[in-house]
Amino acid sequence: MFIKENLHKIKTNIPANVELVAVSKTKPVSDILEAYKAGQRAFGENKIQEMAKKYEELPKDIQWHMIGHLQRNKVKYMAHFVHLIHGVDSFKTLKEINKQALKHNRVINCLLQLKIAKEDTKFGLSITDVNDIITSEDFASLKNINIKGLMGMASFTEDKSIIRAEFNMLNAFFVELKKVSSFNLNPSILSMGMSGDYKIAIEAGSNMIRVGSLIFGKRNYT
Ligand SMILES: *Cc1c(COP(=O)(O)O)cnc(C)c1O
């Protein structure tokens, strides 16, 4: 029962332009259904096969967000249904997504993940990497992907000033990127903020937050 209340509490406290992705990784389909019945449609998972299994079992109007690190050989398991891939952190992966999307005759929306945290455990591209990708000839040939914006994860720290600085940095690049556009590059989404830092993220310009434990409760494993 608490899922519905938690969702409501978050939704009434965020601006209307900010989309809430409910991160349901490791949680059972019964939990997802409870959120679904409360009106939630966007769900985030970090493992492709877990997401594909849940997709099979759950209502088909759910929008599935892949927020985790991507293994290229598994992209094929979600290419027919994924709504938005947040964690694109290499050109190779982007090309694989394009290839699998083509097989299903669809265009897959993607976000490029930037490494904004100092920690080695976090994946992501540098600003130079992004600029290299979007200006390359190869990129112009990718007709089955659409880059809709950027995603980032702040450092795991109690120090809010560090988190704020990292989010501000990502937003500054997002503002620059929005000045560029092409048929497969249409930046409008800035995905940043989780249970612990989504308020700071929104203040720093986020318009998509990925919230798990604050909705579904603590996870026993990641
Ligand atoms: C797990 C996860 C989240 C949600 O984390 P919470 O702290 O439970 O809100 C958000 N983004 C990514 C990339 C994640 O892996």
Side-chain angles (χ1 to χ4, degrees):
M1 279 317 291
F2 62 91
I3 292 172
K4 188 179 170 185
E5 282 74 42
N6 292 345
L7 266 174
H8 182 74
K9 213 158 140 191
I10 297 166
K11 293 206 94 158
T12 52
N13 281 303
I14 60 175
N17 70 310
V18 177
E19 184 174 358
L20 171 63
V21 177
V23 176
S24 49
K25 61 188 184 194
T26 79
K27 298 293 177 183
V29 293
S30 56
D31 283 7
I32 299 176
L33 267 180
E34 197 171 325
Y36 180 88
K37 283 182 192 136
Q40 182 67 26
R41 291 295 178 271
F43 291 90
E45 292 282 335
N46 70 338
K47 296 212 166 67
I48 294 173
Q49 276 145 320
E50 180 177 344
M51 184 171 82
K53 189 164 181 288
K54 287 171 172 172
Y55 163 76
E56 290 301 328
E57 293 171 15
L58 285 158
K60 293 296 171 280
D61 61 339
I62 286 180
Q63 299 175 342
W64 291 101
H65 292 243
M66 174 41 59
I67 62 170
H69 180 63
L70 300 168
Q71 286 175 273
R72 271 194 293 283
N73 60 343
K74 291 184 179 165
V75 169
K76 56 177 175 281
Y77 301 123
M78 65 173 170
H80 56 297
F81 72 90
V82 68
H83 178 74
L84 179 65
I85 301 179
H86 293 231
V88 178
D89 65 354
S90 79
F91 203 177
K92 269 189 169 173
T93 300
L94 194 60
K95 288 176 186 166
E96 174 63 14
I97 295 168
N98 186 77
K99 182 178 149 192
Q100 297 301 331
L102 178 62
K103 283 187 188 165
H104 295 280
N105 195 26
R106 64 186 294 246
V107 172
I108 295 182
N109 292 325
C110 297
L111 305 178
L112 298 175
Q113 180 171 359
L114 265 91
K115 183 167 156 58
I116 54 173
K118 307 280 174 292
E119 296 147 38
D120 289 336
T121 51
K122 298 209 164 67
F123 295 97
L125 299 157
S126 68
I127 288 176
T128 310
D129 294 334
V130 174
N131 286 326
D132 287 348
I133 290 174
I134 63 178
T135 54
S136 79
E137 259 178 54
D138 274 4
F139 182 70
S141 72
L142 303 181
K143 300 193 164 53
N144 293 78
I145 52 99
N146 190 4
I147 304 294
K148 301 283 283 181
L150 301 174
M151 181 271 217
M153 287 169 88
S155 295
F156 187 70
T157 171
E158 295 287 301
D159 188 339
K160 290 197 165 84
S161 68
I162 293 176
I163 296 172
R164 194 179 304 276
E166 291 173 351
F167 284 153
N168 282 335
M169 185 171 69
L170 186 56
N171 184 53
F173 181 54
F174 178 60
V175 169
E176 285 308 305
L177 191 69
K178 276 198 286 188
K179 295 174 186 164
V180 199
S181 87
S182 65
F183 77 94
N184 60 357
L185 174 64
N186 298 281
S188 64
I189 299 172
L190 181 56
S191 167
M192 56 183 198
M194 318 185 0
S195 290
D197 57 18
Y198 77 89
K199 286 178 184 153
I200 304 173
I202 291 170
E203 283 166 15
S206 169
N207 59 18
M208 185 174 279
I209 57 174
R210 310 175 309 271
V211 178
S213 41
L214 220 51
I215 297 169
F216 297 105
K218 288 240 174 317
R219 290 176 296 273
N220 296 323
Y221 55 98
T222 55

